[in-house]
Amino acid sequence: MSDNKVILSDGAAGTKLELPVIRGTEGDPTLDIKNLHKETGYFTYDPGFAQTASCSSAITFIDGGKGILRYRGYPIEQLSESSSFLEVAYLLINGELPNADEMQEFDHDITYHTMVHEKLNTFMTGFHYDAHPMAMAAGAIGSMAAFYHDRLDPEDPKQRELAAKRMIAKMPTIAASCYRHHRGWPTAYPKNSLNYTERFLDMMFSVPAEPYEVNPVAAKALDLLFILHADHEQNASTSTVRLVGSTGANPYACIAAGIAALWGPAHGGANESVLNMLDEIGSVKNIPKYVDKAKDRDDPFRLMGFGHRVYRNYDPRASIIRKACHEVLAELNVTDPLLDLAMELEQVALKDEFFVERKLYPNVDFYSGIIYKALGIPTSMFTVMFAIARTVGWVAQWLEQSENPTRIGRPRQVYTGPVARDYIPLDKR
Ligand code: SDX
């Protein structure tokens, strides 16, 4: 092996193959296997793509061993301390922090697109009142291709930019609509005099019968959560968006596919599962029983909000949210026994050999639900909250891929089915 190539030798065939080494600006070196099958007849096998780089990207960097997360080179700790969600959205999409004029223009453009086509509001009324909000959100975003069908061409930079702004702007409006439909409340229209997170809270909780004042503490806490959830390199839902995008599908189909992938309890659905798990555990005295269940390989129960495919250290986002939990609940004068239970569960798990050995730490989903609950957001809406924030990351990654289109994504397989055999007529079976 040298600095820029690795030599593979096939003992049986007595052949050698030089594999180029690709090095990014950060992160582990990667073997370029684009020509592997052509030159050796071999494929590689990597279920879950845990060892496979599917693309090159300049958007987000994660170092799982060191617990590092950076958006366009900026540490998540600095952005969560000093930036805003909309500024982070600009950064993820454009690659640089905006100056004042650029930020004002971006804010105006997003604000200008917050309303949805009135027929989309009608479309929402067709859902069963107690449909899961993620089902409604995936359906509504996918339906945007039926309402904004005039600008769908992913090869046209202007149409890409418009679709990107429409999705970032309309996702909170659609999300609030999902909640209000469930409550049997009339549609709330965006107030463009408010900022991004204030506007969302107003659309969620305002009722026509009386004035609604957005709590600035809640708006600030939500902005922080949105920053932390905005992007996370090639996670399952982002990889889904890229794969769908590689077929040339329209932007709304790509983001709707991302929402569907995020819904799984192993992914973004975990924040809802954490609260349900804490409710099920109920009290500190039950923690040992549930930790034992999580360790029992014959028991499907997992400690939701724990573990991560990439982080083999504390998820930096979980550290920030854990600290914010205490601050937000204190500022909102809310006490939640589930926070105490979560803290105790964390302590027990982090001392347990099973979790220590497997480097299982709390992830972004472990504490986020406690803040959402303190803001009055129902558990069923937690993953929709994740989707609002992640829409920015999905859009940024979709734009990056659309600007430099890749070949259509098409993984191969190890075939384990029957070998060739002849059809047997029914009367002979
Ligand atoms: C997100 O990819 C991203 O970046 C995702 C995300 C993002 O921002 O996009 O960070 C958001 O999805 C966070 C993860 C939220 N999911 C959960 O909290 C669900 C609970 N966690 C697990 O399901 C699991 O940890 C995963 C899915 C997150 C990671 O699964 P991996 O990498 O496939 O880990 P694994 O299954 O290989 O686990 C290794 C071992 C196994 O035990 P052994 O086979 O070695 O005996 O750890 C065990 C697992 O059984 N294990 C757990 C566990 N997570 C892993 N055991 C108990 N509880 C857990 N939570």
Side-chain angles (χ1 to χ4, degrees):
M1 174 169 159
S2 75
D3 228 14
N4 56 11
K5 63 173 178 285
V6 164
I7 296 174
L8 275 188
S9 63
D10 180 343
T15 52
K16 288 186 187 303
L17 174 71
E18 285 192 1
L19 289 178
V21 173
I22 301 174
R23 293 176 194 284
T25 46
E26 295 241 38
D28 298 330
T30 308
L31 292 180
D32 181 348
I33 58 166
K34 278 200 296 294
N35 298 320
L36 181 71
H37 186 256
K38 196 167 72 182
E39 312 218 355
T40 67
Y42 286 105
F43 286 125
T44 57
Y45 181 63
D46 181 22
F49 311 118
Q51 318 294 328
T52 298
S54 60
C55 63
S56 61
S57 175
I59 297 173
T60 294
F61 175 69
I62 301 173
D63 182 319
K66 297 189 185 118
I68 289 174
L69 169 58
R70 298 192 199 117
Y71 293 160
R72 299 284 189 178
Y74 294 99
I76 193 66
E77 294 79 5
Q78 294 181 26
L79 291 170
S80 53
E81 191 63 39
S82 314
S83 188
S84 70
F85 177 63
L86 218 46
E87 183 179 75
V88 164
Y90 182 98
L91 170 67
L92 287 169
I93 289 172
N94 297 290
E96 298 297 337
L97 288 168
N99 62 32
D101 292 343
E102 289 161 337
M103 189 62 224
Q104 191 184 10
E105 184 187 352
F106 185 69
D107 193 335
H108 167 270
D109 289 355
I110 296 298
T111 303
Y112 180 76
H113 285 290
T114 48
M115 281 182 68
V116 296
H117 191 292
E118 192 55 26
K119 287 289 182 210
L120 204 159
N121 284 326
T122 312
F123 173 80
M124 295 289 289
T125 62
F127 288 120
H128 200 276
Y129 81 93
D130 65 355
H132 194 289
M134 280 296 276
M136 292 193 254
I141 286 277
S143 80
M144 283 176 72
F147 293 103
Y148 303 101
H149 46 285
D150 56 331
R151 305 273 203 296
L152 288 181
D153 181 2
E155 292 182 13
D156 176 338
K158 283 271 168 250
Q159 294 189 43
R160 286 203 297 266
E161 184 189 359
L162 177 58
K165 286 176 178 170
R166 277 173 162 166
M167 286 186 282
I168 294 169
K170 296 179 196 307
M171 189 60 200
T173 310
I174 288 170
S177 236
C178 296
Y179 173 67
R180 299 180 74 90
H181 179 67
H182 185 71
R183 295 292 307 264
W185 290 355
T187 301
Y189 291 89
K191 292 194 177 75
N192 289 348
S193 56
L194 300 173
N195 72 29
Y196 194 86
T197 40
E198 291 166 345
R199 188 161 52 233
F200 170 70
L201 289 169
D202 179 75
M203 287 190 284
M204 278 286 284
F205 298 118
S206 65
V207 288
E210 52 195 50
Y212 176 77
E213 269 303 302
V214 176
N215 180 326
V217 172
K220 186 168 176 293
L222 200 50
D223 204 75
L224 169 65
L225 287 171
F226 283 169
I227 289 174
L228 295 171
H229 286 81
D231 193 50
H232 214 237
E233 59 131 277
Q234 306 311 317
N235 57 84
S237 52
T238 301
S239 300
T240 301
V241 170
R242 280 183 172 262
L243 186 61
V244 175
S246 74
T247 70
N250 75 71
Y252 306 114
C254 296
I255 303 306
I259 295 176
L262 185 74
W263 194 2
H267 190 15
N271 55 16
E272 180 178 350
S273 309
V274 166
L275 257 289
N276 295 335
M277 174 188 73
L278 292 173
D279 276 332
E280 185 185 340
I281 294 174
S283 84
V284 170
K285 68 177 175 23
N286 295 330
I287 287 178
K289 180 178 91 177
Y290 280 89
V291 168
D292 288 343
K293 277 172 64 70
K295 290 156 55 175
D296 177 357
R297 296 188 64 151
D298 298 326
D299 189 325
F301 176 80
R302 283 199 163 183
L303 223 45
M304 302 313 281
F306 259 78
H308 198 277
R309 172 60 56 81
V310 175
Y311 288 123
R312 296 307 183 201
N313 195 323
Y314 215 97
D315 182 334
R317 301 167 297 177
S319 312
I320 297 167
I321 296 176
R322 185 175 189 273
K323 179 168 167 286
C325 262
H326 294 285
E327 292 161 1
V328 172
L329 267 63
E331 285 172 23
L332 293 174
N333 199 18
V334 167
T335 51
D336 187 345
L338 291 186
L339 175 57
D340 304 331
L341 182 58
M343 303 274 292
E344 183 56 30
L345 175 60
E346 177 189 2
Q347 289 314 310
V348 170
L350 292 184
K351 292 192 186 86
D352 187 292
E353 194 42 41
F354 176 92
F355 293 89
V356 172
E357 201 180 281
R358 290 166 178 78
K359 300 186 186 308
L360 302 175
Y361 294 90
N363 59 50
V364 67
D365 293 307
F366 189 63
Y367 284 105
S368 52
I370 291 167
I371 296 185
Y372 288 140
K373 185 167 171 265
L375 303 183
I377 293 165
T379 308
S380 63
M381 279 289 292
F382 286 5
T383 311
V384 175
M385 302 304 288
F386 196 147
I388 293 174
R390 190 52 60 86
T391 292
V392 162
W394 291 329
V395 162
Q397 301 264 353
W398 171 75
L399 286 170
E400 182 180 64
Q401 176 175 279
S402 305
E403 283 147 22
N404 302 292
T406 55
R407 300 169 67 195
I408 187 171
R410 195 345 182 148
R412 300 308 299 268
Q413 63 176 10
V414 172
Y415 176 68
T416 57
V419 294
R421 53 183 173 167
D422 296 325
Y423 181 79
I424 302 165
L426 182 59
D427 58 2
K428 297 264 186 312
R429 285 177 227 157

